[in-house]
């Protein structure tokens, strides 16, 4: 089985964002806006942290 | 249109009011634990309930697909014990996976830790959903 680490992280961020946005907001419009913002934030932070860790060997 | 909305709201309010009794609160929490989103559906929050019903079990399935492990309740290892509690917070999907002998985990798989993370997070998200259903039933939301 081949699974991309990045795609798994994106899927994780997507699912968590959907649940958090649904919990936090009551209208569909607010849920979509919050969910998108949260999803973008998760992916951007994870991508940034990934690059920050790049110079350090395991 | 307005009449329908009023009727829907009063129905939800009546359900919420009646659910504030301790027995009904327990039923809501039990339903919410057994099946993600069922508590919200019971309380008339259909849109939220359907989203939880689809997304949280899907996340659990992805965790199994990624060869994650459903941890045993081992008191000797506190972190494993906490992970086991998180796994069990999803209710029926956990029981089904156990019955089907899934979730044994493959430690050597590249995706093992990802799988564990998906499985535990699905359970923890359902714990939040249970608390949300409890708050709605108490009339706080």
């Amino acid at each position: 089985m081949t699974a991309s680490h990045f795609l798994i992280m994106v899927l994780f961020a997507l699912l968590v964002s959907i649940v958090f946005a649904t919990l936090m907001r009551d209208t569909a419009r607010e849920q979509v806006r919050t969910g998108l913002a949260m999803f973008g934030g998760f992916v951007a932070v994870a991508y940034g942290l990934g690059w920050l860790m790049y110079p350090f060997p395991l | 249109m307005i009449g329908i909305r009023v009727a829907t709201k009063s129905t939800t309010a009546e359900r919420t009011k009646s659910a504030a009794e301790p027995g009904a609160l327990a039923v809501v929490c039990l339903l919410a634990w057994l099946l993600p989103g069922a508590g919200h559906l019971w309380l008339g929050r259909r849109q939220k309930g359907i989203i939880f019903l689809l997304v949280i079990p899907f996340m659990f399935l992805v965790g199994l697909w990624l060869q994650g492990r459903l941890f045993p309740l081992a008191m000797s290892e506190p972190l494993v014990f906490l992970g086991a509690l998180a796994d069990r917070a999803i209710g029926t999907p956990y029981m089904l996976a156990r019955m089907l002998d899934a979730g044994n985990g493959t430690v050597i798989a590249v995706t093992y830790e990802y799988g564990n993370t998906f499985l535990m997070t699905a359970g923890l998200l359902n714990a939040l959903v249970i608390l949300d259903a409890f708050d709605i039933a108490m009339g706080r939301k």
Side-chain angles (χ1 to χ4, degrees), chain A residues 28-42:
Chain A
R29 190 184 172 84
E30 284 177 336
Q31 286 168 352
V32 170
R33 285 183 63 177
T34 306
L36 284 175
M38 210 177 286
F39 173 66
F42 278 145

Side-chain angles (χ1 to χ4, degrees), chain B residues 40-95:
Chain B
H40 285 77
L41 290 171
W42 177 261
L43 293 166
R45 306 287 174 107
R46 192 183 301 171
Q47 184 247 19
K48 287 191 176 197
I50 290 171
I51 291 174
F52 297 141
L53 189 61
L54 294 175
V55 174
I56 296 177
F58 176 71
M59 190 170 198
F60 187 81
L61 280 176
V62 173
L64 293 178
W65 176 66
L66 292 174
Q67 303 182 58
R69 183 183 180 201
L70 295 169
F71 292 104
L73 279 170
M75 296 290 279
S76 56
E77 296 180 63
L79 290 179
V80 172
F81 180 75
L82 290 174
L85 285 184
D87 286 340
R88 282 156 178 77
I90 200 168
T92 304
Y94 171 86
M95 292 181 243

Side-chain angles (χ1 to χ4, degrees), chain A residues 5-49:
Chain A
H5 296 250
F6 181 74
L7 282 181
I8 292 173
M9 183 273 288
V10 168
L11 180 62
F12 183 85
L14 178 71
L15 296 174
V16 172
S17 303
I18 291 172
V19 175
F20 276 167
T22 308
L23 276 172
M24 289 166 59
R25 304 283 182 246
D26 287 327
T27 66
R29 190 184 172 84
E30 284 177 336
Q31 286 168 352
V32 170
R33 285 183 63 177
T34 306
L36 284 175
M38 210 177 286
F39 173 66
F42 278 145
V43 174
V45 169
Y47 197 76
L49 284 174

Side-chain angles (χ1 to χ4, degrees), chain B residues 1-54:
Chain B
M1 189 66 184
I2 293 168
I4 292 169
R5 281 189 180 166
V6 170
T8 308
K9 277 192 174 179
S10 69
T11 306
T12 306
E14 281 163 17
R15 277 188 192 171
T16 306
K17 193 179 173 185
S18 65
E21 297 155 16
L25 274 176
V27 170
V28 168
C29 291
L30 185 69
L31 278 174
W33 171 68
L34 276 175
L35 196 62
H40 285 77
L41 290 171
W42 177 261
L43 293 166
R45 306 287 174 107
R46 192 183 301 171
Q47 184 247 19
K48 287 191 176 197
I50 290 171
I51 291 174
F52 297 141
L53 189 61
L54 294 175

